Amino acid sequence: MNRQQSVGNSCLKTLGTVGLLLFANVMFTACSGGGDDEEESQTGVLELQGDVSAAYSSGTFVLWVPEVESLGGAMSIVIADSNSDSQSAVASSSSTSISSSTRGSGSTLASPASVSSSSAATGSSSSMSMSAGTISLQDSIPDGAIVLAEATIEEGRFLITTKVDEIKPINFSVTDGELVNNSIRMPLRTRQFVMEPGQLTLTMDKYEEFVVDGGTYNDAVINSWKQSEEYLNALELYQEALGDSTPSSAQERFETMAATRAQFTQLVRLESEGRKEIALNDPDLLVRRLTLQTTNITTGTWYTEAMAFLKENAHNDPWIAKIIERDQEHQARIDERDLIAVGTPILDFEAVSLDGTSASLSSAHEDAEVVLLDFWASWCGPCRTEFPYLKEAYAKFKDKGFEIVSFTLDDKHEDWKLASEEEEIPWINLGMGSEAEAVMTYKVIGIPYSLLYEVGTGAILAKNLSGGELEAKLEDLLH
């Protein structure tokens, strides 16, 4: 494991770590060069006493932050109405990402729809293995993660004392831990609390979830909304629905997930409403910002509203300043991308094929009259939803002069290869990565993104055709 040992530095360092995003005016003065009293209020010593004996007898407790801070937006959950059993997730309007780095699971809840959880936003991941009626959880810390402190767990307890140079969200993990009970149902979620000077305690509640108590900001941001009777009752019902038994088959697991969906949806709604109240109304701007930083699942559009308020009223804060800078860069890329319009010439680029051989966009021109350049990635659900339509059009028009060149933004070859095999991609399949020449040439800031162009003239004929639009356009061009 390649981990950098470090202690956080000044307020000038970017704050935050986790992708969803949930602040005292005086703190902003400190972060922007205020007086000594304000600076001291951000610094001090954290003493964290932990008791994880309900789950672990030994192991290492680690406080860490990702190597690269996430500034991505929250994920909004579209709650199904009473007449529908469907449920879908859509990206927040705050930003569109071209990489999986802003996709994650920083919510305090674990969805019943999965037995594995990963947070690309925070870089953390947990994997659950199931065998012979037991469930065991192993935490992992990503390569490059910055470890701020760690302590040995002895007989289920530990003590961490570490310097705090700024109040910020912190991730924590238990590594190499020996479980007290191999049948224990461990939580599947990104684990975090607000790191601040003072004495905090970490325990495990009756649901075997980690609970960090204490600290002005930690309690305001992480714990306050969890104390309502409505939330506690909903949590009780959710845990009861999960049950204690391990599913013995895929069908049983599916039925268990279906049974818990309503309770899970209610918990997501209550968590979002609790965070919304803090993010929109708390008088302390630091509390508001920390609430946004620790939120990645929301209902409604309040996250965008809260972020807009902070951009207007706390623009000198380092984290908000980075958000503003990112948005400005994002808009500049949008403006550049929009210059690549219908009627403008297609631009060639060099890439590699799935087997590692060199290729180019122009290599697709042989025997082709019309080409579709399609940007996608293995993790992009909407991209892969389009594949059946692409396959229909490809089968119908391939022999009439139509070709497709797909370009993946996947940074890992194995992800690209697996998705390509799953989709059985029959056309020219190029990559590699979110920083490749093709992505930079076409200013790709969101996917799916596609360009249909004519080989003879090199002119772009259409952009972002979806569903049956591509087939209809090809009917006109290649009839």
Side-chain angles (χ1 to χ4, degrees):
M1 184 178 300
N2 175 24
R3 303 190 310 215
Q4 304 173 33
Q5 190 73 27
S6 174
V7 175
N9 50 32
S10 70
C11 287
L12 295 178
K13 181 180 178 181
T14 56
L15 296 172
T17 53
V18 290
L20 285 335
L21 298 156
L22 271 187
F23 244 116
N25 286 319
V26 69
M27 296 301 182
F28 289 107
T29 304
C31 285
S32 57
D36 293 340
D37 290 343
E38 290 89 344
E39 186 71 32
E40 289 176 0
S41 66
Q42 280 267 14
T43 64
V45 175
L46 164 68
E47 181 181 285
L48 177 65
Q49 292 187 338
D51 182 350
V52 294
S53 57
Y56 296 104
S57 60
S58 63
T60 302
F61 188 88
V62 184
L63 300 181
W64 60 275
V65 294
E67 182 179 19
V68 178
E69 175 188 23
S70 171
L71 297 178
M75 179 70 72
S76 297
I77 297 294
V78 180
I79 302 297
D81 59 36
S82 58
N83 297 320
S84 172
D85 60 359
S86 66
Q87 184 174 352
S88 62
V90 295
S92 164
S93 61
S94 60
S95 70
T96 302
S97 175
I98 63 170
S99 77
S100 58
S101 61
T102 62
R103 292 158 174 79
S105 53
S107 170
T108 60
L109 299 172
S111 167
S114 177
V115 294
S116 67
S117 173
S118 66
S119 176
T122 62
S124 70
S125 64
S126 302
S127 62
M128 177 176 281
S129 61
M130 308 173 68
S131 63
T134 67
I135 300 179
S136 62
L137 184 76
Q138 294 296 324
D139 279 347
S140 64
I141 301 175
D143 289 347
I146 301 170
V147 174
L148 301 187
E150 56 186 357
T152 300
I153 299 171
E154 297 180 353
E155 297 182 354
R157 291 171 172 80
F158 66 88
L159 172 64
I160 281 183
T161 302
T162 186
K163 182 181 178 182
V164 177
D165 282 345
E166 58 178 320
I167 297 172
K168 62 184 178 183
I170 186 77
N171 299 326
F172 64 91
S173 299
V174 175
T175 61
D176 303 319
E178 182 176 347
L179 290 174
V180 173
N181 183 350
N182 283 335
S183 64
I184 196 169
R185 187 180 69 246
M186 295 295 292
L188 290 177
R189 63 180 176 88
T190 299
R191 296 146 174 184
Q192 60 185 159
F193 65 94
V194 176
M195 186 177 186
E196 60 185 295
Q199 294 183 329
L200 281 69
T201 61
L202 182 146
T203 56
M204 301 192 76
D205 64 16
K206 64 180 180 179
Y207 306 119
E208 296 143 9
E209 290 275 358
F210 292 100
V211 178
V212 180
D213 287 315
T216 301
Y217 293 98
N218 181 70
D219 281 345
V221 172
I222 304 294
N223 296 326
S224 60
W225 51 269
K226 296 181 182 179
Q227 304 308 312
S228 72
E229 183 177 352
E230 185 178 15
Y231 183 86
L232 292 173
N233 288 340
L235 181 60
E236 186 85 31
L237 290 173
Y238 175 64
Q239 294 292 345
E240 288 178 359
L242 284 177
D244 295 325
S245 61
T246 301
S248 59
S249 64
Q251 178 62 28
E252 186 177 337
R253 183 165 71 87
F254 176 81
E255 292 173 354
T256 299
M257 290 189 294
T260 58
R261 185 174 299 158
Q263 286 79 10
F264 176 75
T265 298
Q266 176 68 354
L267 277 175
V268 169
R269 180 186 286 111
L270 292 172
E271 175 174 340
S272 180
E273 290 175 354
R275 291 181 179 272
K276 172 184 176 180
E277 176 65 24
I278 301 169
L280 293 179
N281 299 306
D282 198 282
D284 187 333
L285 294 183
L286 181 53
V287 170
R288 291 198 192 196
R289 189 253 285 165
L290 289 167
T291 300
L292 291 183
Q293 282 182 273
T294 56
T295 302
N296 64 352
I297 296 182
T298 70
T299 58
T301 59
W302 62 264
Y303 180 92
T304 301
E305 181 182 348
M307 181 62 75
F309 179 87
L310 291 179
K311 288 178 181 178
E312 180 69 25
N313 295 277
H315 53 82
N316 288 329
D317 170 79
W319 190 78
I320 294 298
K322 281 189 173 290
I323 293 289
I324 295 172
E325 180 182 6
R326 181 204 63 182
D327 289 352
Q328 291 171 340
E329 293 173 351
H330 183 77
Q331 184 59 50
R333 291 193 70 178
I334 290 176
D335 295 340
E336 291 179 335
R337 182 203 62 188
D338 289 347
L339 294 176
I340 303 172
V342 172
T344 62
I346 201 72
L347 305 173
D348 200 8
F349 57 80
E350 296 295 322
V352 295
S353 61
L354 192 58
D355 63 8
T357 59
S358 297
S360 65
L361 179 61
S362 57
S363 63
H365 294 173
E366 186 178 355
D367 299 327
E369 296 181 25
V370 179
V371 176
L372 180 75
L373 172 59
D374 179 57
F375 290 93
W376 70 292
S378 64
W379 43 260
C380 175
C383 302
R384 297 178 69 165
T385 298
E386 287 295 317
F387 274 22
Y389 297 103
L390 297 184
K391 286 184 177 180
E392 286 184 18
Y394 192 67
K396 187 173 183 179
F397 293 100
K398 185 181 187 307
D399 294 334
K400 297 181 179 181
F402 176 56
E403 186 58 81
I404 296 177
V405 177
S406 62
F407 189 96
T408 178
L409 274 66
D410 281 299
D411 291 307
K412 293 184 177 180
H413 186 272
E414 56 266 35
D415 294 339
W416 174 20
K417 183 175 185 295
L418 178 60
S420 298
E421 292 172 350
E422 290 173 345
E423 299 294 347
E424 298 180 335
I425 295 177
W427 48 75
I428 300 172
N429 187 7
L430 304 180
M432 261 280 305
S434 57
E435 301 295 327
E437 179 187 350
V439 179
M440 298 299 104
T441 297
Y442 285 94
K443 316 300 180 186
V444 181
I445 56 175
I447 52 176
Y449 178 63
S450 63
L451 301 164
L452 184 71
Y453 66 94
E454 185 177 39
V455 172
T457 64
I460 296 173
L461 303 173
K463 296 177 67 174
N464 297 324
L465 298 174
S466 61
E469 294 175 340
L470 174 61
E471 189 170 339
K473 183 70 172 178
L474 293 174
E475 288 280 6
D476 293 336
L477 295 171
L478 301 173
H479 58 274

